[in-house]
Amino acid sequence: MGRLVLGPLLRQVGEHTATVWVETDKPGEVNVLGATSLTFTVHGHHYAIVEVGGLAPGSSTPYEVRLDGEVVWPEPAMADFPPSAIRTVDPGGPLRVVFGSCRKALAPAATHGADALAAYARRLAAGGDGWPTALLLIGDQVYADNPPPALREFIRSRRDVSTPPHEEVLDFDEYAELYRLAWTEDPAVRWLLSTVPTLMIFDDHDIRDDWNTSHTWRREMAALPWWPRRIVSGLGAYWIYQHLGNLSPAERNADPDYAAVRAARNDCGKIVDEFAARSDSRPESVRWSYAQDFGGTRLIALDSRNARVLDRDHRAMLDDPERAWFEARCTGGVDHLLIASSLPYLLPPAIHDTEAWDEAICAGAWGRRFARLGERLRQGTDLEHWAAFQTSFREVAASLVETVRGERGDPPTSVTLLSGDVHYSYLARVDGRPINQVVCSPLRNPLAVRLRRANRAASRHVLRLPFRWLARAAGVKANPFDWRLTDGPWFDNAIATIDIDGRTASVRWETPAREGRNERAGMSELGRAALTQPAPPSRDP
């Protein structure tokens, strides 16, 4: 009898359809609620994506997974958790999106604290909270450059780690084991992923720290003999483990690369490798971004890593096809617009201006000597967010302003950007406009104390003016609008919840409870705020 290696993962769910993803220990036929799919094989690993249709909107349907007719899910070890169920989108009902980023599974609790995703899963299993419409994981689902001890042991058992990349992930087999460990080590998290529709987008550590920071970074990495294998394996694994499940059945079945994989009679590792290599060398040929409408709310998830343009004379966060795709979806005609980017679009203003300054001097605003210094700062202190891609920042700003002004259709009540990456959480509001930035990071990977102090200081509004002057001295234009942090920063491991009901929207952040804190079913509230209230007027000098 076969078994599940990983999963089931409940992925994109619509009003009538659902996607269930599994990895099995042998080839076979996978069945969910009467829908079937044959497995496909990639480098010796077996996967199936089952597309369930004919479901009623707003319904809840418990399900089992069968492999060649035998029940392989639920497993006996999951008997303490409620049955896994598919809950379809109710287009007229409220929407709840739970999100977070930066989760190090299997890390020691003494150094990394409690896992916010696991704490949330246990509360949900105990019936302690309303059911989410979707879980959004926005970056660093796995750490390929700093894997957990269990994976390091696996790596040491199969190759010599005295040579680069040492104990970092190298190939597809090691990625497969990394995903397995991350999503099975805690039974509560495994249950959560089986029963809450989950959408994902990558950030740098899914591949490697500072992935695609700059032209110089790409040149330096390309010179390493092990890098081609790493990037091909990382993107191929991401496509299978994360990306394919983000798509609707219609989108997935229109994908020629997925069709080639499904049609392959033997191991299709070569097909996946060729696709991944093309994605790296010609990123404009592949789109990792995706979108989904939930009744009156549109979610747009942006690729802010692989879609970058890093030419010497041109930098952009989004290449031309990605930008055009975003423009076609960043419109009115919806009640709320959620835009997910692993990297915060709106940083604390002083940090934003520092990154804009650094981009300018890297481009030669203060000469070659400062350009070299700027590149060292960029790579050494992670100055690579939207602020460091000023052309793209301003293009997106123009799109957002046009949308909330009603120039692209009836304006939404709120536009909210959802991000992670920075290892602290906060809310920023654009002055005078219904545009918000909600950041929730990390799920489990706390920032070092010295970096907390630095980021807390940089978040103070009083520091904005000197850094603004610094950016202007390097020729950076004035920002297209002003914003300020109104809530946070919080440095706890945390998970955030966006609640939308009709024309109203709100957010709350929670962290695993510690003794002495006001807790609710094992979690403490860090903060909450309305997202549809008028933004405060500007008080900038």
Side-chain angles (χ1 to χ4, degrees):
M1 176 179 170
R3 64 179 181 85
L4 293 182
V5 174
L6 179 56
L9 273 63
L10 182 60
R11 299 303 311 278
Q12 205 250 38
V13 173
E15 296 177 25
H16 301 280
T17 62
T19 295
V20 179
W21 181 101
V22 297
E23 181 180 354
T24 64
D25 68 341
K26 69 181 187 68
E29 181 182 75
V30 180
N31 182 297
V32 177
L33 295 175
T36 62
S37 178
L38 294 175
T39 59
F40 58 91
T41 302
V42 181
H43 294 301
H45 301 266
H46 314 291
Y47 308 94
I49 298 175
V50 184
E51 298 169 350
V52 181
L55 301 169
S59 63
S60 178
T61 308
Y63 74 92
E64 297 177 333
V65 178
R66 295 177 180 268
L67 176 59
D68 292 333
E70 300 290 335
V71 175
V72 292
W73 183 267
E75 295 178 353
M78 306 302 293
D80 292 338
F81 293 90
S84 300
I86 296 171
R87 293 168 176 82
T88 52
V89 173
D90 179 358
L95 172 69
R96 171 168 289 182
V97 176
V98 178
F99 81 97
S101 75
C102 308
R103 178 175 179 262
K104 274 198 170 183
L106 292 95
T111 56
H112 285 71
D115 184 350
L117 188 65
Y120 179 82
R122 287 191 289 270
R123 185 177 72 187
L124 193 65
D129 200 13
W131 206 268
T133 311
L135 168 65
L136 182 60
L137 301 176
I138 49 175
D140 296 345
Q141 278 67 262
V142 293
Y143 281 73
D145 50 351
N146 188 12
L151 186 67
R152 294 173 186 268
E153 183 178 345
F154 175 78
I155 291 171
R156 289 192 297 269
S157 73
R158 61 192 305 270
R159 61 176 169 85
D160 180 8
V161 296
S162 65
T163 59
H166 306 296
E167 293 183 339
E168 294 186 26
V169 170
L170 175 61
D171 61 19
F172 190 91
D173 287 334
E174 293 171 10
Y175 261 107
E177 181 66 5
L178 178 62
Y179 280 109
R180 187 191 70 81
L181 290 169
W183 292 342
T184 63
E185 49 88 21
D186 190 311
V189 171
R190 189 176 186 189
W191 169 81
L192 181 76
L193 296 176
S194 78
T195 198
V196 173
T198 304
L199 303 170
M200 310 178 189
I201 196 73
F202 47 37
D203 199 17
D204 55 342
H205 292 284
D206 295 79
I207 302 296
R208 197 173 200 257
D209 187 28
D210 296 339
W211 174 36
N212 281 347
T213 290
S214 64
H215 174 83
T216 300
W217 186 93
R218 281 187 66 90
R219 187 185 68 238
E220 291 170 350
M221 296 305 298
L224 301 176
W226 54 270
W227 177 247
R229 190 176 181 187
R230 166 70 160 274
I231 187 64
V232 165
S233 298
L235 287 172
Y238 174 79
W239 186 64
I240 292 168
Y241 284 86
Q242 299 196 51
H243 178 69
L244 286 173
N246 293 328
L247 307 178
S248 69
E251 290 171 319
R252 191 165 42 248
N253 292 322
D255 184 336
D257 295 294
Y258 182 62
V261 164
R262 294 295 308 277
R265 295 184 178 180
N266 300 309
D267 192 305
C268 58
K270 183 178 179 182
I271 296 173
V272 174
D273 289 351
E274 289 174 349
F275 159 79
R278 183 175 78 250
S279 176
D280 178 56
S281 63
R282 292 193 295 115
E284 71 282 355
S285 68
V286 176
R287 175 169 54 80
W288 298 107
S289 299
Y290 59 91
Q292 182 177 353
D293 285 355
F294 299 87
T297 298
R298 175 169 300 155
L299 169 67
I300 303 172
L302 284 176
D303 164 18
S304 52
R305 281 292 173 185
N306 196 68
R308 295 180 177 188
V309 179
L310 299 170
D311 298 337
R312 286 183 179 274
D313 57 350
H314 178 49
R315 282 169 53 83
M317 187 68 83
L318 305 176
D319 57 37
D320 288 344
E322 206 85 8
R323 167 106 176 110
W325 178 90
F326 172 69
E327 284 294 308
R329 287 156 183 80
C330 183
T331 66
V334 295
D335 293 331
H336 303 273
L337 191 58
L338 302 177
I339 302 173
S341 165
S342 62
L343 303 173
Y345 178 74
L346 298 177
L347 291 163
I351 299 176
H352 173 97
D353 288 330
T354 300
E355 295 203 7
W357 164 80
D358 183 78
E359 182 189 35
I361 66 168
C362 284
W366 287 0
R368 295 177 60 183
R369 187 173 184 179
F370 274 97
R372 289 191 293 271
L373 171 63
E375 183 61 34
R376 289 197 296 272
L377 287 172
R378 177 154 58 193
Q379 292 195 37
T381 56
D382 294 340
L383 304 182
E384 49 145 356
H385 300 81
W386 285 87
F389 291 79
Q390 278 290 298
T391 298
S392 295
F393 178 84
R394 294 169 190 280
E395 288 174 345
V396 170
S399 301
L400 298 180
V401 170
E402 289 173 6
T403 299
V404 299
R405 281 178 177 170
E407 298 173 18
R408 299 180 171 213
D410 292 338
T413 302
S414 68
V415 174
T416 302
L417 298 122
L418 310 178
S419 302
D421 177 73
V422 292
H423 297 263
Y424 54 95
S425 302
Y426 62 87
L427 171 64
R429 298 184 190 272
V430 173
D431 292 347
R433 304 192 186 278
I435 301 173
N436 310 289
Q437 170 75 74
V438 178
V439 175
C440 184
S441 170
L443 287 164
R444 193 184 192 217
N445 191 12
L447 201 62
V449 172
R450 62 181 178 83
L451 294 177
R452 294 187 189 194
R453 292 172 181 152
N455 280 277
R456 184 177 285 112
S459 299
R460 296 178 61 192
H461 194 71
V462 69
L463 289 181
R464 181 171 194 169
L465 195 55
F467 287 96
R468 176 180 290 180
W469 286 341
L470 183 68
R472 300 298 177 270
V476 179
K477 297 178 181 178
N479 290 323
F481 44 57
D482 289 316
W483 65 94
R484 66 185 62 243
L485 267 65
T486 60
D487 300 80
W490 300 288
F491 295 88
D492 308 69
N493 290 344
I495 193 165
T497 301
I498 304 289
D499 279 309
I500 295 175
D501 192 355
R503 301 284 286 180
T504 66
S506 63
V507 59
R508 74 175 186 269
W509 297 261
E510 296 174 287
T511 186
R514 297 197 297 267
E515 186 177 354
R517 301 181 77 165
N518 182 25
E519 65 179 84
R520 184 168 63 91
M523 301 194 77
S524 300
E525 187 172 297
L526 292 171
R528 66 169 63 213
L531 299 174
T532 45
Q533 65 187 20
S538 175
R539 296 190 299 273
D540 291 339

